[in-house]
Amino acid sequence: MKKLFKPLLIVAITLFALGCKDEDKTEPKPTASNLIKIGETYISGANAKATVYAEKALETGYNELFVALTDSTDGSPLTKGHLHINPMMDMGMMKHSTPIENTGDSTPSNGYYKVPVVFIMAGNSSQWSLGLSFHNHKNDMEGEGNLGVEVINSSPTKITNTTIALDSNAKVFISLITPKKPVVGMNDFEIVLHKKVSMMDFPAIENYTIEIVPEMPSMGHGSPNNVNPIHLANGHYVGKVNFTMTGLWKIKLKLYKNGTLISDDQFFEITLH
Amino acid sequence: MLRLKIFILFIGLFSLTSLRGQISGDSILKTYNLNEVCVCDKTTENTQTFNFYRSNKLASIDEILARMQGVNLIKRGAYGLEPTLRNFSSGQTNLTIDGMRMYGACTDKMDPVSIYIEPLNLKAIQVTHGAAGAIEGSTIGGQIGLKLNEPLFNCHSSISGQFSQSFSSVNKGSNSSAIIQQSFKKLAYRISGTFRTASDYRAGSKVIIPYSGFQKINTSASAIYKIDSVQQLKFDYLGDWGKNIGYPALPMDVGKATANIISLTHRTVLNPKKLFTENEFKVYMNNVVHYMDDTHRKDVPMHMDMPGWSRTIGFYNNLSGKKNLKLRLDYHHANTRADMTMYPAGEPIMYMQTLPENNLNDIGLAGSRMFSFYKNQELNINGRLDYFAQSTAKGFGAKQWEAFNTDVTKVQNKFLKNLNIAYLIKIIKNSQIQVNIGYGERIPTSNERYGYYLFNRQDQFDYVGNLNLKPENSYQTELILKQTFKKIEYTATIFYSHINNYIYSYQMMGLSPMTIGAFGLKTYKNIDFAISKGFEGSLKIEPFSNLNYLGTIKYIYAKTNKGMPLPLIAPLKIQQAIRYQIKQFQFQLEHDFAAKQSRVNQDYGDRVTPHFNLFNARASKKFDIGKAKLQALVSCENIWDKTYREHLDIGNIPRFGRNFTINLNYLF
């Protein structure tokens, strides 16, 4: 039965996606064809099955999880309900979570609940797990499922962290979101910042000012007319970065809080081919 | 008649100077006469210049240009000097080959178009200043028109030609060349070839200048077919292959430079009683590929490839008649691009287009007419209207420009207007006065518009273009006085140009350069205006029929509206020569003086250039071997082995030290 449902599900999702018109055209619609399946788990308490997709294998840094929920009895898509994901790293001696952006959406978009997550370290599927709790509005049932996932190291790394003495020794994680496919010329630049408050609490940092300094390390030059990222919401900072040629670029980050430079040694490396 | 005799005598004397060092603006005799022949005295132009070059086959085009009045050369290496007209540089002047437009493929201006023409292929050089030169293209500085030799129709179909060989000590240089030509009843052809090779040259005090050697091969083939009594079809091909051309003043050399120039010309003689007596239609294309190379350099921070491409196709139709009547319609399309690829150790390749692929379309209409009245007065009017469209091609190069929030694919189009009026009056028998008034315009060059981090060796800044530059326009006036006496002749010229929207560079503060070691980033902007003024003079004395003296003087003063001296302005120069002829022998002594140039533009990296005095000596003899002729020449340039440089030499590189040259020409 499951095997039969899956294609049906895909068809349904596709039809739903096609039926949706007021889409943001700049971002390609997540469809089964450009997503890969990470894993699936039953949320028995809610009579639901969750299938987790992503654009690529999960890696350290910012990832977008696309979760499709279906009725575990008849396989029909569930379009009403609340999904909450609780990622957990089990290191044996201790456990910790990681920054996650549970949106609290009551309906999936294009058939998926999109939940961005920032993995702060790599680990195998017995170490990293996603706790998926779902409140199914169809039957008003709640339950939890658990899915072990493997997280590989992003290369070049898309996450960097630093302990900032000038911000009460806060451990700050900076994750690169865009450019995903950097090109010569102008690129959107987006990063997200989180702070580790406790092993389980990684709130977004919304009160920093950020300056970016792109540089080609082998030549020592930069690029003109970059737009420093400014805070939009949930710790996301959006700006523009310019690349004047292909090759290896280093985007240096300067973090300011209340006008004081608190960190200037973090950077991302981006390679243009 | 006397004047003609003087000309012929001087042309004979020119044979003394056939091979010279890269010493710009040195021989006055040549300067004077070449201009005389090419510009003023149209009737004797062809024969005289032809003879001139027959006896000067082995001088390079740079050497010849350096002798022309109003011409100064910007030097970057031992080869490929950029001609300037009264210090208007290549973007402000037009350089044409048989009326064809052509653009260098090198963003560093290593390949001015003149380098593709060997003197043995050169029939004439026409130098015209200001808008008077705006026949083949809009210009503010004037035009250098290179006319190529054509096959000649002889009464009999014998083969004729010449071989030449020379050696010079300063760079172990060898120049070999040959011409073969033959004519039949309806067909005549001419084939030539030149091979030049030179090692690194020696400056004064035996200092070797590294990376200054070069090799090149140049060939040309030309054929004329007579369709009927009034129609001719002419085919021309010119190929030039340079290899390992050193540019000591620049951080890179040229590994390979190839140029191909092809044209087909149709000529018709029209009814001589009508207004227009002749029509010439030409289609042409040329192609330059230019690979800069740093593999021979030491201490290169990172290996780099910098190829450049330039392709031009075009046509013109030229109707001409008596009284300098001309009506010309032309079109050309040019496509240029330059790349840079760098190879950092252990890292991904870095690639950019230093000149994004860009296109230029130009259609123009030009005309000229001479009116004479009262027997002693002439009015020459010429004008030209151009319509230009410039843009970069979509793609990588255009994407790069997003970094400057600039859409360079947007087409820039402009009408350009040029007009020149020349009035000449013969006051008394031996005196004449000429007044020129002109207006000219020029569009920004592709470098000035689209260049992307182009390194300028002179000020050590990277340059990016400015899409929104306005065309430069210039109001010019010139006054020429000429008097001829029995044994003395002189001309004196004063000129003035007021250039509006002068394209000037300024630093973009806060932006970093790309090139390692560069001081910063600059771009161009239109400043209100700049002015340029100066004088030229020449004096010719012939006390006896076998003794001649010639002296010339030139000076230019140029500044911006804020009083800042313009960059690369040559100082006061005096050049003089004395020649003595006895039977088949000729002897010549030359003296060049350049004053100290302390009016410099430091922002541009100009530096004060000390004055110098330079002395050269030459001797030659002719031999008759049956019908053939052999000509032998020895010369010594820079006799005192002075270390010197001209103000327009980029990078503080001294010029040739003492140089001995032997030259043999065999004509059959």
Side-chain angles (χ1 to χ4, degrees):
Chain A
M1 278 301 274
K2 277 183 201 167
K3 278 184 181 171
L4 185 67
F5 280 133
K6 196 177 162 186
L8 279 173
L9 175 72
I10 291 167
V11 169
I13 289 164
T14 311
L15 284 173
F16 184 81
L18 288 170
C20 227
K21 275 181 182 164
D22 44 352
E23 256 293 305
D24 185 0
K25 280 174 187 159
T26 55
E27 216 169 285
K29 289 169 190 166
T31 61
S33 61
N34 62 18
L35 295 177
I36 61 164
K37 186 175 163 182
I38 302 298
E40 58 184 31
T41 180
Y42 282 97
I43 304 171
S44 44
N47 198 30
K49 190 181 107 178
T51 312
V52 179
Y53 299 88
E55 281 167 343
K56 53 183 185 171
L58 300 179
E59 58 181 24
T60 52
Y62 185 86
N63 298 259
E64 283 173 341
L65 303 174
F66 294 88
V67 185
L69 285 146
T70 48
D71 191 302
S72 59
T73 315
D74 61 12
S76 62
L78 296 171
T79 56
K80 292 269 186 254
H82 283 106
L83 175 72
H84 185 93
I85 299 180
N86 183 26
M88 194 59 66
M89 159 52 81
D90 187 347
M91 298 175 81
M93 306 281 283
M94 59 169 210
K95 284 185 177 181
H96 67 79
S97 184
T98 205
I100 186 146
E101 296 175 356
N102 281 303
T103 56
D105 288 346
S106 60
T107 52
S109 160
N110 293 327
Y112 299 101
Y113 287 91
K114 189 169 110 178
V115 185
V117 60
V118 172
F119 290 109
I120 59 173
M121 63 185 288
N124 61 35
S125 58
S126 58
Q127 293 172 313
W128 273 115
S129 65
L130 300 174
L132 298 119
S133 43
F134 186 59
H135 179 204
N136 188 347
H137 290 191
K138 191 177 167 188
N139 52 19
D140 200 22
M141 289 163 72
E142 273 184 77
E144 267 187 41
N146 208 45
L147 176 67
V149 291
E150 188 188 2
V151 176
I152 57 171
N153 271 313
S154 49
S155 175
T157 185
K158 288 176 181 163
I159 183 164
T160 169
N161 70 77
T162 176
T163 303
I164 300 180
L166 291 169
D167 192 13
S168 322
N169 279 323
K171 186 160 190 182
V172 171
F173 294 92
I174 310 163
S175 310
L176 180 70
I177 302 174
T178 54
K180 282 177 189 163
K181 289 177 182 162
V183 290
V184 166
M186 187 176 273
N187 296 264
D188 290 328
F189 181 76
E190 184 177 355
I191 51 177
V192 61
L193 274 72
H194 296 93
K195 187 183 283 190
K196 181 181 167 191
V197 172
S198 71
M199 298 300 260
M200 296 301 155
D201 192 11
F202 295 82
I205 299 173
E206 306 191 333
N207 59 348
Y208 279 8
T209 310
I210 298 172
E211 196 183 315
I212 53 169
V213 185
E215 189 191 276
M216 293 206 95
S218 51
M219 297 184 78
H221 69 75
S223 71
N225 297 319
N226 298 286
V227 179
N228 285 324
I230 53 165
H231 184 250
L232 277 190
N234 304 321
H236 286 245
Y237 294 76
V238 177
K240 300 272 185 195
V241 65
N242 288 312
F243 301 119
T244 52
M245 62 174 85
T246 69
L248 176 68
W249 285 84
K250 193 169 174 177
I251 303 178
K252 293 182 179 171
L253 303 163
K254 289 183 178 177
L255 309 182
Y256 296 83
K257 189 180 179 186
N258 300 326
T260 309
L261 179 68
I262 53 171
S263 163
D264 65 355
D265 57 353
Q266 300 302 297
F267 62 87
F268 290 108
E269 285 188 335
I270 290 182
T271 297
L272 279 76
H273 295 285
Chain B
M1 229 14 236
L2 176 68
R3 204 168 123 187
L4 190 67
K5 276 184 186 164
I6 292 168
F7 274 139
I8 290 165
L9 177 63
F10 282 173
I11 281 151
L13 287 167
F14 290 154
S15 62
L16 285 167
T17 64
S18 65
L19 197 116
R20 324 251 339 215
Q22 301 281 345
I23 298 158
S24 93
D26 34 16
S27 164
I28 341 105
L29 282 180
K30 280 167 235 151
T31 307
Y32 189 82
N33 280 278
L34 210 51
N35 269 315
E36 194 80 4
V37 168
C38 296
V39 183
C40 305
D41 201 334
K42 299 257 183 192
T43 52
T44 54
E45 172 194 315
N46 291 355
T47 31
Q48 296 205 7
T49 24
F50 180 70
N51 290 339
F52 173 84
Y53 289 115
R54 271 164 71 100
S55 57
N56 280 276
K57 295 165 290 296
L58 290 175
S60 78
I61 182 104
D62 293 334
E63 292 158 355
I64 295 161
L65 274 169
R67 287 157 204 160
M68 317 246 344
Q69 197 151 9
V71 178
N72 281 297
L73 298 172
I74 299 175
K75 181 180 154 116
R76 296 179 174 85
Y79 174 76
L81 280 67
E82 177 193 341
T84 65
L85 285 181
R86 287 182 183 158
N87 290 83
F88 286 110
S89 67
S90 57
Q92 296 166 314
T93 57
N94 287 327
L95 210 159
T96 60
I97 300 168
D98 271 347
M100 298 182 283
R101 302 298 299 265
M102 189 170 175
Y103 296 86
C106 175
T107 48
D108 284 347
K109 297 182 177 180
M110 286 172 172
D111 59 347
V113 174
S114 49
I115 62 170
Y116 303 120
I117 310 301
E118 285 293 332
L120 59 82
N121 293 327
L122 195 64
K123 188 164 77 178
I125 302 177
Q126 290 181 346
V127 170
T128 345
H129 294 289
I135 290 285
E136 291 167 353
S138 285
T139 179
I140 64 167
Q143 166 162 299
I144 300 174
L146 305 175
K147 306 286 170 201
L148 298 182
N149 260 320
E150 295 183 359
L152 296 172
F153 281 96
N154 293 326
C155 320
H156 46 83
S157 64
S158 66
I159 292 181
S160 65
Q162 60 188 52
F163 295 103
S164 309
Q165 176 63 48
S166 81
F167 299 99
S168 51
S169 65
V170 77
N171 57 359
K172 301 189 186 77
S174 161
N175 295 345
S176 319
S177 68
I179 307 171
I180 299 270
Q181 57 180 2
Q182 190 175 14
S183 72
F184 304 96
K185 200 178 170 193
K186 289 202 155 218
L187 182 78
Y189 72 87
R190 182 182 189 278
I191 296 169
S192 78
T194 302
F195 177 65
R196 292 175 181 270
T197 170
S199 308
D200 292 347
Y201 72 79
R202 205 169 32 72
S205 313
K206 298 191 166 55
V207 176
I208 299 282
I209 304 298
Y211 319 117
S212 63
F214 63 89
Q215 281 177 48
K216 88 165 206 166
I217 295 173
N218 182 287
T219 63
S220 82
S222 176
I224 296 181
Y225 176 71
K226 284 182 177 170
I227 300 168
D228 53 35
S229 61
V230 293
Q231 289 187 84
Q232 271 189 2
L233 205 58
K234 182 161 86 91
F235 168 81
D236 287 285
Y237 168 76
L238 206 151
D240 190 279
W241 298 273
K243 212 178 118 185
N244 293 329
I245 305 166
Y247 282 82
L250 299 175
M252 293 178 88
D253 303 312
V254 171
K256 207 174 106 184
T258 304
N260 287 290
I261 306 169
I262 296 175
S263 70
L264 195 63
T265 313
H266 179 261
R267 285 178 186 144
T268 321
V269 178
L270 306 172
N271 187 341
K273 287 170 190 165
K274 291 276 171 66
L275 194 61
F276 290 107
T277 55
E278 209 180 306
N279 189 54
E280 182 173 292
F281 176 79
K282 188 194 292 271
V283 283
Y284 62 91
M285 58 186 290
N286 56 63
N287 183 354
V288 186
V289 186
H290 191 266
Y291 292 98
M292 277 195 252
D293 172 51
D294 61 8
T295 52
H296 295 98
R297 296 289 178 117
K298 288 172 193 160
D299 306 323
V300 174
M302 192 188 308
H303 170 56
M304 216 182 272
D305 282 337
M306 291 186 74
W309 298 266
S310 158
R311 284 182 294 272
T312 308
I313 56 166
F315 74 84
Y316 69 76
N317 192 78
N318 201 2
L319 270 166
S320 51
K322 285 174 211 120
K323 294 208 163 188
N324 204 18
L325 180 64
K326 226 175 240 178
L327 190 63
R328 177 181 156 115
L329 174 74
D330 56 41
Y331 166 80
H332 78 277
H333 167 88
N335 175 282
T336 52
R337 179 183 134 198
D339 285 3
M340 181 170 79
T341 310
M342 286 163 289
Y343 304 91
E347 276 181 28
I349 285 169
M350 298 190 275
Y351 169 83
M352 72 193 295
Q353 290 187 5
T354 48
L355 181 63
E357 182 179 356
N358 67 95
N359 294 301
L360 170 76
N361 286 292
D362 166 24
I363 186 158
L365 186 67
S368 73
R369 181 80 205 255
M370 191 254 277
F371 304 92
S372 47
F373 39 94
Y374 298 130
K375 286 194 173 177
N376 68 338
Q377 293 174 52
E378 271 178 20
L379 198 62
N380 254 296
I381 299 177
N382 70 278
R384 181 175 168 99
L385 184 69
D386 268 293
Y387 178 73
F388 275 99
Q390 269 178 306
S391 66
T392 61
K394 286 195 170 63
F396 192 93
K399 283 286 287 176
Q400 284 177 167
W401 266 99
E402 285 180 358
F404 288 92
N405 296 315
T406 305
D407 179 11
V408 285
T409 59
K410 208 175 105 192
V411 179
Q412 305 284 315
N413 39 27
K414 273 281 179 296
F415 278 103
L416 296 188
K417 305 163 285 292
N418 306 268
L419 183 69
N420 190 73
I421 298 168
Y423 170 74
L424 188 146
I425 180 164
K426 288 177 181 137
I427 313 168
I428 37 174
K429 206 176 130 193
N430 54 5
S431 307
Q432 68 177 49
I433 291 175
Q434 189 181 335
V435 182
N436 289 336
I437 296 171
Y439 172 82
E441 297 183 335
R442 68 115 178 167
I443 51 159
T445 63
S446 52
N447 277 8
E448 286 164 345
R449 271 222 212 278
Y450 307 121
Y452 203 73
Y453 292 96
L454 291 172
F455 180 64
N456 180 351
R457 173 67 171 76
Q458 187 72 349
D459 59 4
Q460 310 252 11
F461 273 77
D462 276 344
Y463 277 69
V464 292
N466 177 356
L467 184 68
N468 301 313
L469 286 174
K470 285 178 276 190
E472 282 181 353
N473 66 66
S474 149
Y475 292 89
Q476 309 133 7
T477 180
E478 189 180 13
L479 180 72
I480 306 163
L481 170 69
K482 181 172 181 172
Q483 283 197 294
T484 315
F485 304 101
K486 207 175 174 186
K487 295 193 170 181
I488 297 178
E489 184 182 312
Y490 75 89
T491 59
T493 306
I494 53 169
F495 55 87
Y496 183 89
S497 286
H498 181 99
I499 308 121
N500 291 310
N501 293 328
Y502 187 83
I503 295 173
Y504 194 71
S505 63
Y506 74 101
Q507 192 177 353
M508 300 169 91
M509 302 307 282
L511 294 184
S512 64
M514 183 274 297
T515 306
I516 295 169
F519 294 152
L521 188 65
K522 281 189 180 179
T523 185
Y524 302 94
K525 67 172 176 182
N526 295 106
I527 59 170
D528 273 0
F529 66 88
I531 62 140
S532 166
K533 58 188 175 184
F535 59 85
E536 285 155 9
S538 69
L539 172 67
K540 190 157 68 174
I541 309 172
E542 193 193 354
F544 311 105
S545 63
N546 59 351
L547 187 66
N548 301 275
Y549 167 86
L550 247 158
T552 62
I553 184 165
K554 50 186 167 187
Y555 176 71
I556 291 172
Y557 177 94
K559 62 178 184 183
T560 67
N561 56 335
K562 300 260 168 67
M564 176 72 105
L566 294 186
L568 294 179
I569 300 293
L572 175 81
K573 266 187 175 177
I574 297 171
Q575 303 167 305
Q576 45 190 347
I578 188 153
R579 302 185 182 195
Y580 180 65
Q581 178 177 291
I582 179 162
K583 290 176 184 170
Q584 296 278 61
F585 286 98
Q586 290 166 340
F587 303 95
Q588 176 180 330
L589 271 175
E590 296 167 4
H591 167 235
D592 290 1
F593 166 76
K596 178 182 176 182
Q597 180 56 292
S598 47
R599 291 194 74 251
V600 294
N601 185 314
Q602 282 175 344
D603 291 348
Y604 189 76
D606 255 1
R607 64 194 103 198
V608 173
T609 304
H611 80 280
F612 65 82
N613 282 291
L614 200 67
F615 293 90
N616 307 322
R618 302 170 202 283
S620 79
K621 187 172 193 302
K622 280 181 190 162
F623 305 91
D624 290 329
I625 308 166
K627 279 189 172 180
K629 280 190 179 70
L630 182 71
Q631 208 176 64
L633 175 137
V634 289
S635 66
C636 177
E637 291 152 345
N638 193 357
I639 296 171
W640 309 116
D641 203 23
K642 291 268 183 199
T643 301
Y644 78 105
R645 65 185 172 92
E646 299 254 1
H647 185 62
L648 269 56
D649 294 355
I650 305 290
N652 207 12
I653 309 282
R655 294 206 166 200
F656 278 10
R658 186 186 297 125
N659 183 25
F660 292 99
T661 304
I662 306 170
N663 177 16
L664 291 171
N665 299 328
Y666 180 72
L667 282 72
F668 62 94

